[in-house]
Amino acid sequence: MSLLGILLLLLELSTISAMAKTRQFKWRVEYMHWSPDGVEGVVMAINGKFPGPTIRARTGDTISVELTNKLLTEGVVIHWHGIPQRGTPWADGTASISQCPINPGETFVYTFIVDKAGTYFYHGHYGMQRSAGLYGSLIVEVAKDEKEPFHYDGEFNLLLSDWWHKSSQDQQIDLSSKPFRWIGEPQSLLMNGRGQFNCSLAAQFSKSSVPQCKLRGDEQYAPQIIHVHPNKTYRLRVASSTALSSLNLAIGGHKMVVVEADGNYIQPFSVENMDIYSGESYSILFTTDQNPSNNYWISVNVRAREPKTSQGLTILNYIPNFGSKIPISPPPLPPLWNDYNYSKVFYKKIFGLIGSPKPPTQYNRRFLLLNTQNRIEGYTRWAINNISLVFPTTPYLGSIKYGINNAFDTKSPPDTFSKDYDIMKPPPNPNSTYGNGVYMLKFNTTIDIILQNANALAENVSEIHPWHLHGHNFWVLGYGDGDFTTEDAETTFNLNNPPLKNTIVVFPYGWTALRFVANNPGVWAFHCHIEPHLHIGMGVVFAEDVHLVKNIPNEALTCGLTGKMFAKDKHK
């Protein structure tokens, strides 16, 4: 680079630095009585709000959240989903991996930089606290002197979730029971924390006996109506923090143009509805070009599981119509719940925007990770390459950084599985083992992951699994049905314009291929984002050059063997 180029780069960086702000928040997490769907229950709230407060920042800003645990009897952490935490892996908010749970009455400060514009969210990452309602939106806008690659007149935010009337504690007990008790399907689908269980906004279009909702508008479960003006283009930021449900989103009568996926710009494409899986986020553009005398439905429906949960609804209100005016047409019909080809067509339309980074053409290490459902000592578990993940009492970040022995199994889990395994049948030997080993990755190497789905314990059952990688974006190289082969890599991988994402789905009896560069020192979870699946073992852990991590606050590591180490040093 020429001297002039270096000077211009330094000037650009100093300008961005000067414009960046530190955005400080003080939060308290506590249980509260709430009615997310008209049935009162208990939610995990932040500062008295459910969902938690929306954080808005700009690229380059520093976020500082002083989090106080008011839960009385349980620990808590918060994961900042999609934020890579470069230089701050201790702020990733993953219990037993990046930090200790924050004890009742204690305060922990999360400090990190948001270095990329996009649609993100945050959520609890300890036990089943996402199911309890611990989540909120995190929006990172472009820096003031930058522009998005698309135009819009206004924007809205839609955080999707699912809701059970059974408490998250009861769900944990069910999952850990012998014999196994499944948590069942959610009672409601929520949009921005609001849904309806005992009534329907669209009852007049339904043959069911559920009555029409009669709402004042100030109820906790009243829909958050989206108000728009005719002949404008709006951006809808959508993120799914569901604990279980895969969803399909539609806006009645309106086409949607998808422009962002997981905080990364993509080549725009138009759809009438779209699937969104747990852990994913998107931005869509829609134009209010329909009859302005009417309002329209925004709907979400369950996909990939037999629907036993009513659709979630709110209203797109064309001003000056009354917001409570019911649309004249029924809500949009979703695809059949098990029409996986419909989902695959959507995914295969997602490509990186022209000019986006391309993946390395070769890999240094490839993992073939087989998802299976197994049993251990009579308990039902999920396993990866026959290892069901359990977390150690000392966070990996601390035990690896300080070279503490006996904190976790130092034997690496297997990189692959037997070529003779028949993914179309239940496991011939359903027994698995617990494990907490770590995949140690060499710094700056290129890593391939092939997620291989298989039959569960029951015959003719293979479930969808959305997988999320902490600390990184990855390139999605391809998808396929059946067993993955090296020929698939040679003939079907997209190395030209694959999208960057942080969450991706593996379809029943199929495979999904990812590639990323291990260039972010820290310890990172890679797991199924369906919360009960992670809770019973469906995940792995990667570690990258932890010795390069600096300035880990002691407060992050006050439990387990690191806590004992600090106490011993204090009394020397």
Side-chain angles (χ1 to χ4, degrees):
M1 184 181 292
S2 67
L3 179 60
L4 178 60
I6 293 172
L7 290 173
L8 289 173
L9 177 61
L10 290 173
L11 179 62
E12 182 181 353
L13 291 173
S14 63
T15 301
I16 292 173
S17 177
M19 294 173 63
K21 295 181 178 179
T22 297
R23 301 181 186 268
Q24 296 181 314
F25 305 89
K26 284 190 175 184
W27 286 359
R28 65 182 187 280
V29 177
E30 58 194 333
Y31 282 114
M32 296 185 68
H33 293 290
W34 207 271
S35 297
D37 63 0
V39 176
E40 186 175 77
V42 174
V43 302
M44 200 171 277
I46 298 176
N47 292 356
K49 293 183 177 181
F50 168 76
T54 296
I55 291 178
R56 296 195 78 96
R58 291 190 179 274
T59 304
D61 285 354
T62 296
I63 305 294
S64 179
V65 178
E66 184 181 301
L67 186 72
T68 300
N69 181 358
K70 295 287 187 181
L71 296 177
L72 301 179
T73 59
E74 63 183 293
V76 70
V77 296
I78 288 184
H79 169 56
W80 314 94
H81 188 107
I83 306 301
Q85 302 293 350
R86 294 191 179 277
T88 54
W90 48 266
D92 189 49
T94 45
S96 301
I97 297 177
S98 65
Q99 70 171 113
C100 302
I102 306 165
N103 288 325
E106 292 185 350
T107 296
F108 182 79
V109 180
Y110 290 100
T111 303
F112 55 92
I113 293 173
V114 288
D115 59 2
K116 193 172 187 180
T119 304
Y120 308 102
F121 64 106
Y122 61 84
H123 59 80
H125 213 294
Y126 183 47
M128 300 282 286
Q129 291 182 344
R130 180 153 46 98
S131 181
L134 184 55
Y135 44 74
S137 296
L138 171 55
I139 307 300
V140 181
E141 301 173 357
V142 295
K144 285 187 177 180
D145 60 341
E146 296 178 356
K147 291 185 177 180
E148 305 269 16
F150 41 81
H151 169 77
Y152 52 95
D153 301 301
E155 74 170 57
F156 302 95
N157 185 51
L158 200 60
L159 183 62
L160 308 177
S161 57
D162 40 14
W163 185 251
W164 282 257
H165 295 164
K166 178 183 288 188
S167 74
S168 60
Q169 289 90 349
D170 284 349
Q171 292 181 44
Q172 288 185 81
I173 295 169
D174 285 350
L175 294 169
S176 303
S177 294
K178 188 168 62 173
F180 180 70
R181 294 187 184 185
W182 177 237
I183 62 172
E185 305 304 308
Q187 275 64 64
S188 302
L189 302 178
L190 308 183
M191 295 184 182
N192 293 336
R194 296 160 180 256
Q196 297 78 41
F197 176 70
N198 287 322
C199 67
S200 171
L201 300 176
Q204 67 189 66
F205 300 106
S206 173
K207 296 179 180 179
S208 73
S209 59
V210 178
Q212 181 75 27
C213 293
K214 296 179 180 179
L215 303 171
R216 301 182 307 273
D218 59 351
E219 297 90 349
Q220 291 175 336
Y221 61 97
Q224 192 174 85
I225 293 171
I226 292 181
H227 305 283
V228 296
H229 292 276
N231 301 312
K232 300 288 184 182
T233 297
Y234 292 92
R235 178 182 192 169
L236 184 63
R237 297 179 182 266
V238 189
S240 176
S241 64
T242 56
L244 172 65
S245 305
S246 305
L247 301 175
N248 180 267
L249 170 73
I251 305 175
H254 295 72
K255 286 192 178 296
M256 304 185 294
V257 178
V258 188
V259 294
E260 177 213 346
D262 292 353
N264 298 282
Y265 298 129
I266 60 174
Q267 294 183 28
F269 65 96
S270 178
V271 293
E272 292 186 357
N273 57 65
M274 58 179 285
D275 287 346
I276 179 168
Y277 295 91
S278 177
E280 290 189 312
S281 64
Y282 291 95
S283 281
I284 62 167
L285 303 180
F286 67 94
T287 300
T288 49
D289 55 4
Q290 299 302 298
N291 186 336
S293 63
N294 297 327
N295 290 339
Y296 299 86
W297 295 111
I298 299 178
S299 64
V300 288
N301 289 271
V302 171
R303 292 273 283 140
R305 303 184 68 84
E306 187 172 357
K308 297 178 182 178
T309 309
S310 298
Q311 66 183 164
L313 291 171
T314 190
I315 292 174
L316 182 70
N317 167 227
Y318 272 47
I319 296 171
N321 300 326
F322 288 112
S324 58
K325 182 180 179 181
I326 298 298
I328 61 173
S329 300
L333 288 174
L336 290 175
W337 69 271
N338 57 354
D339 185 352
Y340 299 116
N341 286 329
Y342 193 96
S343 305
K344 293 173 186 177
V345 168
F346 173 79
Y347 259 119
K348 290 178 180 178
K349 291 180 179 179
I350 303 177
F351 297 102
L353 189 66
I354 296 173
S356 298
K358 292 187 178 182
T361 56
Q362 302 294 325
Y363 67 90
N364 300 109
R365 187 176 179 184
R366 174 173 284 169
F367 296 95
L368 280 79
L369 303 182
L370 176 69
N371 304 334
T372 55
Q373 193 178 36
N374 300 78
R375 291 194 179 94
I376 303 178
E377 299 171 356
Y379 294 99
T380 298
R381 302 282 299 184
W382 286 99
I384 303 302
N385 292 352
N386 212 39
I387 304 292
S388 186
L389 180 64
V390 290
F391 293 109
T393 55
T394 304
Y396 292 108
L397 185 64
S399 56
I400 297 173
K401 172 68 175 177
Y402 295 110
I404 298 174
N405 295 322
N406 304 316
F408 61 91
D409 185 356
T410 55
K411 181 182 177 182
S412 177
D415 284 18
T416 188
F417 59 95
S418 170
K419 293 181 180 179
D420 297 327
Y421 191 91
D422 188 348
I423 67 164
M424 304 304 294
K425 296 179 180 179
N429 177 5
N431 295 316
S432 180
T433 57
Y434 296 115
N436 58 21
V438 176
Y439 291 116
M440 299 290 185
L441 307 181
K442 292 183 179 180
F443 188 64
N444 224 27
T445 55
T446 298
I447 306 299
D448 274 11
I449 300 175
I450 312 300
L451 290 168
Q452 178 68 66
N453 212 343
N455 202 100
L457 285 170
E459 290 189 0
N460 302 315
V461 174
S462 182
E463 298 187 19
I464 265 187
H465 301 288
W467 277 74
H468 172 59
L469 177 60
H470 292 228
H472 298 273
N473 283 304
F474 49 71
W475 289 277
V476 184
L477 301 185
Y479 312 86
D481 297 322
D483 290 293
F484 172 81
T485 66
T486 53
E487 185 180 347
D488 289 320
E490 294 169 0
T491 60
T492 67
F493 276 11
N494 175 14
L495 299 178
N496 182 43
N497 57 358
L500 279 165
K501 292 184 97 270
N502 61 58
T503 303
I504 199 65
V505 73
V506 57
F507 291 103
Y509 301 110
W511 57 265
T512 299
L514 323 173
R515 180 169 292 176
F516 72 97
V517 178
N519 58 5
N520 191 8
V523 186
W524 309 109
F526 182 49
H527 62 89
C528 179
H529 209 259
I530 292 176
E531 192 167 49
H533 289 183
L534 172 61
H535 192 71
I536 54 176
M538 199 172 199
V540 298
V541 178
F542 296 117
E544 304 168 30
D545 279 75
V546 177
H547 69 280
L548 297 176
V549 177
K550 302 183 185 304
N551 304 318
I552 304 175
N554 288 355
E555 293 80 10
L557 304 172
T558 53
C559 60
L561 297 177
T562 44
K564 291 178 180 179
M565 180 187 72
F566 293 149
K568 186 177 180 181
D569 291 345
K570 186 176 180 180
H571 290 96
K572 279 185 178 179

